[in-house]
Amino acid sequence: MGSWFARSRSIPYLLKRNISFLHANSSCKTLPPYKSPHGFRERPPASILSFRRLESAMVGKQAQAVAYTDDDGESQSIEFPGGRVGFTTQMEFISEATDKRVPCYRVLDDDGFPIAGTRFDQLDEETAVRMYKSMVSLQIMDTIFYEAQRQGRLSFYLTSTGEEAINIATAAALSPDDIILPQYREPGILLWRGFSIEEFASQCFGTKDGHGKGRQMPIHYGSKDLNFITVSSPIATQLPQAAGVAYSLKMDGKEACAVAFTGDGGTSEGDFHAAMNFAAVMEAPVLFICRNNGWAISTPVSEQFRSDGVVVKGQAYGIRSIRVDGNDALAVYSAIRAARMMVVREQKPVLVEALTYRVGHHSTSDDSTKYRSVKEIEQWKRSRNPMTRFRNWVQANGWWSDQEEAELRGTLRNQVLKAIQVAEKAEKPCLGDLFSDVYDKLPSNLQQQEKSLRQTITRHKQDFPPDVPL
Amino acid sequence: MLGVLRSKVAFRANHAWGLEQGLRAIASRAFSSSTKETMTVRDALNSALDEEMSADPKVFVMGEEVGEYQGAYKITKGLLDKYGPERVLDTPITEAGFAGIGVGSAYYGLKPVVEFMTFNFSMQAIDHIINSAAKSNYMSAGQISVPIVFRGPNGAAAGVGAQHSQCYAAWFSAIPGLKVLTPYSSEDARGLLKAAIRDPDPVVFLENELLYGESFPVSAEVLDSSFCLPIGKAKIEREGKDVTITAFSKMVGYALQAADILAKDGISAEVINLRSIRPLDRAAINASVRKTNRLVTVEEGFPQHGVGAEICASVLEDSFEYLDAAVERISGADVPMPYAANLERMAVPQVEDIVRAAKRTCYRSAALAATA
């Protein structure tokens, strides 16, 4: 971190490094080389501004008192707390917006064909097919569980429709040792790591087989074995916690990182600011992934922030960032692999903004047609579908066929339906689970309460609900 | 002197012993008690932190000004030099941030001791304390434990106004999943902080700024690095038979002073230092009330839903027939803490308030005196 600051100390130095980018084509022809410490790109517009600043500084040279010259003898700069900074006689405000928005890294075009000249991490057949099958599993699971809630069999559900690529491609690009701190639209990662449909159903129905002992509302999955920290309802609390987990990993010297997810709405929370700032200062190996899907329940991004999305916020904290097409599984895979490598090798945070669209409603408690047009939703569902794009690429490679598709969908549908039927009828957690895990050891007051409750049950058997196993 | 001997007896957690038995027990053991060592609460906390950090490399300290500045109240003095910046972290000014980071690091197996400059600022982090730290073990069905300690000064100081003087004992103690400790003496500070750090559950450790500089006698046992007090056990600071006075933190000192005054009037007061608000030592409180039949609860915090309210309920539920008088609750005034010294004095319980309340329970005063 120290060396990064030294390079950015003075504007002409920054300029020198930017010269190569000034006239660079802003299309995504070059994959940022993640092996090199200079694996990130400056945005061309910023360096144009700094060029202008240098000119005016040189003009005003004679009039200004010189405090220091730096080692290159190139400009005048002053020492302030925080480092040396060049000065200028031109009062110029940094614009609130740049001419062009930060471009988005993409590999596949709208139809699923690789864009000419694009570079990406090549996938082998096994991984690609596994990824596609997982995306289909996620989609089918979402559809059927959502229907189950609508039928009154579940109290609540939340889909990841439209974000299957982010879910699965990210999971595939990470290592199983990486600790995930999800928001709530990332069950695909659990799916990839081996959480079964039956386990998802058990958690949603609160059965005794669920790992959660019936403590959580649906979709609040968690698995210590799969390194997936339980979903927590308050928004963005997982972000500073990720910095803490990363700090622990760093202390342990493990070759793994913490991966924290948030949506576009979550970046408005105070915890987002604290987490980004802290992770940068502590040099904690956290990979922040923002799923910018355009909507936070009914709040569109235009009402969430006025910045160019979330990617530009990285630089404000001294964190490297990249914007990627979240509906492009290959782009997400390559970008996350690169970002993770940087995080683990350089032990510093990285921010990835994945642009996507929330095709489904926020949750079963929401009807999004009330605040957005059905036409908009349909357009994203049909013509910008991440699964269709990836499927076309996989099929074009000869690794998948329509027949396999039909078979897979049929099998999965049956599996999910059966899982729901089984979970619905399964036994609920027993009475003891009401009292355990409040503390590490069952405290005396809860022991007494349990004893008193059991005595009451014995005395008033007729009042006791039949579906609570003792 | 007598008080010191009593406290040694009480430490044995057998408060039913009379003074005579206590003296015999002490005489029968070889105590090198010729020089009474004393220790300030500040040094007690500092030494406890030092010893626990030395014993367990997973323990680390985090907070504003804890490192280079040696601690806003010098509790963490010397720790940065001894353990380095990886174990003593100076944080940016974001309570939500560092509480969250502490919880996250505890999720993954470290044992953070998070310092709030005062617990008034913990309100900016309260979601992390309640929704993440307290509830995680339960909500994750035992998969995620949070062995974190949140510590810092709590309650009224002197002349710092409303936003720096609130007592949070009652709020935190309402939450299942948290443990809440309130040390009074140096022995309490050492023993309870060590217990808190070693405990696998999240602990809120409420200190008191005005007690930091006070000295208390400490025995060789207390100074030993393996010393630890059990969480959930109150201490009988002074035995009595006419009225029970419960208190915690700074109010224990006031209650002891009140007991001295009452003794001159022939009222023998039993003073209970609660030490632990959650879990509350209901057994000790009720046993004492069954002995004395009268109760005065003392706390600095706001009256509604306070610690005294919970104690009253507990005594009503368990020892109703033993009460000879209505329970008296002494608490801070139901106003945000004023700044002017005269008004501040009126807003916080004073020794005289405790004395009058005890007398009322003993039917020694004619009518309810118009207290502040």
Side-chain angles (χ1 to χ4, degrees), chain A residues 461-469:
Chain A
K461 265 202 174 61
Q462 70 282 5
D463 295 335
F464 188 63
D467 65 348
V468 183

Side-chain angles (χ1 to χ4, degrees), chain A residues 179 211-213 215-216 224 229-230 234 237 240-241 244-245 247-249 254 271 274 278 434 436-440, chain B residues 86 89 91-92 94 96-97 100-101 104-105 107-108 110 127-128 132 137-139 141 143 177-179 200-201 278:
Chain A
I179 315 265
H211 68 285
K213 298 184 194 170
R215 303 267 172 75
Q216 293 265 24
K224 192 169 177 181
I229 299 221
T230 314
T237 52
Q241 288 165 9
V245 171
Y247 191 72
S248 300
L249 285 170
K254 261 194 135 158
D271 273 345
F278 239 115
L434 180 63
S436 60
D437 303 318
V438 180
Y439 294 98
D440 189 60
Chain B
E86 281 178 359
L89 265 64
T91 66
T94 161
I101 288 177
S105 69
Y107 280 171
Y108 193 68
L110 290 184
D127 181 87
H128 282 290
S132 295
N137 197 48
Y138 189 75
M139 291 180 85
Q143 289 186 73
L178 281 184
K179 290 183 178 166
D201 296 311
R278 183 181 253 270

